[in-house]
Amino acid sequence: MRYRFTGKLHQLGFLLLSVSLILSCETPDGTSSNTEVVEAVGNEELVLASWQDGAKDKIINWVDATTTEGSPDFIPVADRIAVFDNDGTLWSEQPMYFQLAFAIDEVKRMAPEHPEWKNNASIAALLNGDMQGFLSGGEKALLQTVAITHTGMSTQEFDSHVKNWIKTATHPKTGKHYNEMIFQPMLELLDFLRANEFKTFIVSGGGIDFMRAWAEEAYGIPPYQVVGSMMGLTYVDSTASPELRKTPELFFNDDKAGKPVGIARAIGKRPVFAAGNSDGDYQMLQYTSTGDGARFGMYIHHTDSVREVAYDRESHIGQLNKGLDDAAKYNWMIVDMAKDWKVIYPYEMK
Amino acid sequence: MRYRFTGKLHQLGFLLLSVSLILSCETPDGTSSNTEVVEAVGNEELVLASWQDGAKDKIINWVDATTTEGSPDFIPVADRIAVFDNDGTLWSEQPMYFQLAFAIDEVKRMAPEHPEWKNNASIAALLNGDMQGFLSGGEKALLQTVAITHTGMSTQEFDSHVKNWIKTATHPKTGKHYNEMIFQPMLELLDFLRANEFKTFIVSGGGIDFMRAWAEEAYGIPPYQVVGSMMGLTYVDSTASPELRKTPELFFNDDKAGKPVGIARAIGKRPVFAAGNSDGDYQMLQYTSTGDGARFGMYIHHTDSVREVAYDRESHIGQLNKGLDDAAKYNWMIVDMAKDWKVIYPYEMK
């Protein structure tokens, strides 16, 4: 099938990056200065093992207070809803959102079946390895890249494309598979909350189908607990095997003020715990923290230029500015990755 | 706040009823001819106790086949997704969708605070008890009724309106609260599937926020497992207590071909079990039954004119026509309410 670029491409806002950012931003350093393996000597020691004591205590104290019956801060099990941003909160997001890396890799993989793409200057540049030429196409080029790799196929086909990519593609700096670049301390936090009967949800600006393809294996979060941005979807029953076709209009942008909306639509309860890392998560943390009763808001602050990447107020990706300004006002915990995390990635522990 | 009717009212398609139907359709008979209480003599007897043997065996055999490891039809726990329509499948829907009864009751309750409603001929007729006058306003009147009772307020306010209504309002024929008119055999089916590690979801054309207000208590289905039609939603953080405001445009119509779309968006997995009662559920059952591996599609056929209401091919509400025609093709089980169910409502068992 020939792909026809649609007039609705301008609606595809959720993966928008300013054109200059891909080549200009900081990149992670592959070296790992902290491969300390925590020797667990008992159950107590296993909880949040990769967190340094001060940060660990804050989390444990809050969970104790909210899950101990009779405590003034007790939260019934049915209301224990915990929401997590994904990019920069559960896994890395530099030097570009991993979903954009997927889109670029997919253009290259799919190109042989699409000779017509050579007539598109930006896509042709990408195929020739000319990133500057590709980026000179601006937003339009980026959105076309997303559209031709994420839509015009069934949900099942897209799912297998993502699964194949995540099995094979590697990160330009660490050389690791992208799903190895998830944050070990956050895996422990997810486990700890679930062990205390919290339901854990992803609430991300990223594409919902992209995340669902690997999130269950990576985080233990099933597809129906993933909330994300969504493209169009059409039920096609013209064959004996009806399917859902992905179409290139933006249906829902699950970012910024869209996050509380996405939460209300998909979860239907106000969360009591929220973790994010950028101003895109501000409203999600605000909505969580301003509810009645005990609440926990957490910002992951990317402070580690050695083990990961240091960025915040000036970053094109994952900018954290307003969130830092208002952290005290809302009693948000700022996690200092360099100081509070003993390890960043699970592979450092092996 | 004065309510302003919006130009987008025509988009509110999901509660559309033809104007004549409310007064013309059949109504349930309050008498109960079958109050047999099944004396459970063991665990075996407790399973699907309100189902007659033939229908019961079909369900149990399928669940056995799909949950026994080593069985050729085995379904892993992660894929055990069961979806249920609500109106007419989990509770009654005559003489009008219960959500419309809520909307009409709410107009009356809210009227004293809205003197301006008297200037609207249809709403004024409704307030004067003149149903014919109200209905002569056509679709527009019905949609206005939904808009002024479902939007222009926060999600929290709407939730408490629904909760108050369901506690107090009673059905015109049975005199029971609406949430007492849920189907006992379906409660047992939900329990049986959950006991076998199926996740149970509602997938309904009804409003998602309306259902969430009472579905957990009625069915044991939490808000994040309710999929439904959705109006607009806006995050408002202009006060110290940010909230989500409901706005009167239709965001998603979770009916007919919208049901597989709603399932893909909210659940992200193809169901293996689906139950419905009308042609509005056809695509949901079709999408379920045409997936790979063992599948179960079930249509509740409203055949009981004594204990409930008998209706199918010609009904304005819950029309079941194409579903009956194609049941054999897709191997769908047609549940004959009169013959297959020992009781209809839980209160018959007391």
Side-chain angles (χ1 to χ4, degrees):
Chain A
M1 191 188 93
R2 289 176 65 84
Y3 186 83
R4 277 179 298 139
F5 292 106
T6 163
K8 290 191 175 173
L9 272 173
H10 66 279
Q11 294 182 5
L12 291 169
F14 74 90
L15 263 183
L16 271 188
L17 303 172
S18 67
V19 173
S20 61
L21 105 192
I22 292 183
L23 298 181
S24 69
C25 61
E26 295 182 57
T27 57
D29 185 303
T31 61
S32 168
S33 64
N34 186 344
T35 54
E36 175 184 357
V37 175
V38 179
E39 291 237 28
V41 293
N43 213 22
E44 278 292 293
E45 301 297 315
L46 281 169
V47 169
L48 303 177
S50 302
W51 293 74
Q52 299 289 2
D53 284 346
K56 183 198 294 195
D57 294 344
K58 267 189 202 164
I59 299 168
I60 291 178
N61 290 343
W62 184 84
V63 170
D64 278 352
T66 54
T67 59
T68 304
E69 267 194 78
S71 156
D73 289 331
F74 181 73
I75 299 172
V77 170
D79 294 330
R80 292 184 198 162
I81 303 294
V83 291
F84 292 80
D85 170 57
N86 182 46
D87 296 310
T89 299
L90 295 180
W91 73 353
S92 289
E93 61 184 350
Q94 302 279 7
M96 66 174 94
Y97 291 125
F98 293 178
Q99 188 176 356
L100 185 59
F102 162 75
I104 291 172
D105 286 348
E106 283 291 280
V107 167
K108 295 174 183 166
R109 185 186 65 78
M110 295 162 77
E113 287 160 38
H114 295 273
E116 76 279 9
W117 287 356
K118 287 182 190 141
N119 303 325
N120 179 302
S122 300
I123 304 293
L126 183 65
L127 293 171
N128 290 328
D130 171 14
M131 279 302 276
Q132 289 294 5
F134 169 62
L135 293 172
S136 69
E139 278 183 15
K140 196 180 157 203
L142 288 166
L143 295 178
Q144 283 179 346
T145 306
V146 172
I148 61 180
T149 54
H150 285 63
T151 68
M153 66 192 82
S154 73
T155 50
Q156 216 169 336
E157 287 168 316
F158 180 74
D159 185 70
S160 69
H161 293 176
V162 179
K163 284 190 165 88
N164 284 336
W165 176 81
I166 208 124
K167 252 193 299 199
T168 53
T170 52
H171 188 272
K173 294 294 163 184
T174 65
K176 298 288 179 184
H177 294 299
Y178 288 96
N179 58 352
E180 294 179 280
M181 294 179 66
I182 55 182
F183 298 140
Q184 174 64 26
M186 297 306 279
L187 297 181
E188 295 166 6
L189 177 55
L190 289 168
D191 280 345
F192 180 56
L193 289 172
R194 287 192 290 248
N196 285 280
E197 298 184 86
F198 287 79
K199 284 258 171 197
T200 54
F201 292 82
I202 292 173
V203 178
S204 166
I208 195 167
D209 295 332
F210 175 77
M211 292 184 285
R212 282 170 166 168
W214 51 268
E216 186 153 23
E217 196 185 318
Y219 307 132
I221 296 179
Y224 42 85
Q225 284 165 223
V226 176
V227 184
S229 293
M230 295 183 273
M231 319 286 277
L233 212 51
T234 304
Y235 183 62
V236 178
D237 61 357
S238 50
T239 73
S241 301
E243 61 183 16
L244 290 152
R245 305 282 302 176
K246 289 168 69 70
T247 58
E249 70 278 9
L250 180 67
F251 176 69
F252 181 65
N253 184 0
D254 191 51
D255 200 21
K256 301 189 175 70
K259 288 206 174 193
V261 172
I263 288 167
R265 291 201 190 291
I267 305 177
K269 289 196 167 226
R270 196 164 188 152
V272 295
F273 184 105
N277 77 299
S278 80
D279 284 347
D281 304 311
Y282 183 93
Q283 287 88 347
M284 175 170 81
L285 266 71
Q286 182 188 51
Y287 179 58
T288 300
S289 295
T290 53
D292 294 332
R295 306 283 164 145
F296 201 113
M298 171 186 286
Y299 258 127
I300 308 302
H301 191 188
H302 289 261
T303 51
D304 196 321
S305 62
V306 178
R307 297 183 299 171
E308 207 236 5
V309 191
Y311 60 98
D312 50 27
R313 292 182 187 273
E314 305 297 327
S315 179
H316 293 285
I317 295 178
Q319 182 176 46
L320 178 60
N321 197 17
K322 203 175 169 210
L324 288 175
D325 290 344
D326 290 351
K329 173 180 172 188
Y330 290 115
N331 195 29
W332 291 333
M333 174 183 182
I334 304 291
V335 174
D336 183 328
M337 283 177 74
K339 291 187 186 154
D340 291 332
W341 286 3
K342 297 180 185 174
V343 296
I344 306 288
Y345 302 121
Y347 60 77
E348 296 170 28
M349 301 177 72
K350 282 166 193 162
Chain B
M1 191 186 93
R2 289 177 64 85
Y3 186 82
R4 277 180 298 138
F5 292 106
T6 163
K8 290 192 175 173
L9 272 173
H10 66 279
Q11 294 182 6
L12 291 169
F14 75 90
L15 263 184
L16 271 188
L17 304 172
S18 67
V19 172
S20 61
L21 105 192
I22 291 183
L23 298 181
S24 69
C25 61
E26 295 182 57
T27 56
D29 185 303
T31 61
S32 168
S33 64
N34 186 343
T35 55
E36 176 185 357
V37 175
V38 179
E39 290 237 28
V41 293
N43 213 22
E44 278 292 293
E45 301 297 314
L46 280 169
V47 169
L48 303 177
S50 302
W51 293 74
Q52 299 289 2
D53 283 347
K56 184 198 295 195
D57 294 344
K58 267 189 202 163
I59 300 168
I60 291 179
N61 289 343
W62 184 84
V63 169
D64 278 353
T66 54
T67 59
T68 304
E69 268 194 78
S71 156
D73 289 331
F74 181 73
I75 299 171
V77 170
D79 294 330
R80 293 184 198 162
I81 303 294
V83 290
F84 292 80
D85 171 57
N86 182 45
D87 296 310
T89 299
L90 294 180
W91 73 354
S92 289
E93 61 183 349
Q94 302 279 6
M96 67 174 93
Y97 291 125
F98 293 178
Q99 188 176 357
L100 185 60
F102 162 75
I104 291 172
D105 287 348
E106 283 291 280
V107 167
K108 294 174 183 167
R109 186 186 64 78
M110 295 162 77
E113 287 160 38
H114 295 273
E116 76 278 9
W117 287 356
K118 286 181 192 144
N119 303 325
N120 179 303
S122 301
I123 304 293
L126 183 65
L127 292 171
N128 291 327
D130 171 13
M131 278 302 276
Q132 290 294 5
F134 169 62
L135 293 171
S136 69
E139 279 183 15
K140 196 180 156 204
L142 289 166
L143 295 178
Q144 284 178 346
T145 306
V146 171
I148 61 181
T149 54
H150 285 63
T151 67
M153 65 192 82
S154 72
T155 50
Q156 216 168 336
E157 287 168 316
F158 180 74
D159 185 70
S160 69
H161 293 176
V162 179
K163 284 190 165 87
N164 284 336
W165 176 81
I166 208 125
K167 251 193 300 198
T168 53
T170 52
H171 188 272
K173 295 294 164 186
T174 65
K176 298 288 179 184
H177 295 299
Y178 288 96
N179 58 352
E180 294 179 279
M181 295 179 65
I182 55 183
F183 298 140
Q184 174 64 26
M186 297 306 278
L187 298 180
E188 295 166 6
L189 177 55
L190 289 168
D191 281 345
F192 180 56
L193 289 172
R194 288 192 289 249
N196 285 280
E197 297 183 87
F198 287 78
K199 284 258 171 198
T200 54
F201 292 82
I202 292 173
V203 178
S204 166
I208 194 167
D209 294 332
F210 175 77
M211 292 184 285
R212 282 170 166 168
W214 51 268
E216 185 153 23
E217 196 185 318
Y219 307 132
I221 296 179
Y224 42 85
Q225 284 165 223
V226 176
V227 183
S229 293
M230 296 183 272
M231 319 286 278
L233 212 50
T234 304
Y235 184 62
V236 178
D237 62 356
S238 49
T239 73
S241 300
E243 60 184 16
L244 290 152
R245 305 282 301 175
K246 288 169 69 70
T247 58
E249 71 277 9
L250 180 67
F251 176 69
F252 181 65
N253 184 1
D254 191 50
D255 200 21
K256 301 190 175 71
K259 288 206 175 194
V261 172
I263 288 167
R265 291 201 190 291
I267 305 177
K269 289 196 167 224
R270 196 163 189 153
V272 295
F273 184 106
N277 77 299
S278 81
D279 284 348
D281 305 311
Y282 183 93
Q283 287 87 348
M284 175 170 81
L285 266 71
Q286 183 189 51
Y287 179 58
T288 299
S289 295
T290 52
D292 295 331
R295 306 283 164 145
F296 201 113
M298 171 186 286
Y299 258 126
I300 308 302
H301 191 188
H302 289 261
T303 50
D304 197 320
S305 62
V306 178
R307 298 182 299 171
E308 207 235 6
V309 191
Y311 60 97
D312 50 27
R313 293 183 187 271
E314 304 297 327
S315 179
H316 293 285
I317 295 178
Q319 182 176 46
L320 178 59
N321 198 17
K322 203 174 169 211
L324 288 175
D325 290 343
D326 290 351
K329 173 180 171 187
Y330 290 115
N331 195 29
W332 290 333
M333 174 182 182
I334 303 292
V335 174
D336 183 328
M337 283 177 73
K339 292 187 185 152
D340 291 331
W341 286 3
K342 297 181 186 174
V343 296
I344 305 288
Y345 302 121
Y347 61 77
E348 296 170 28
M349 301 178 72
K350 282 167 192 161

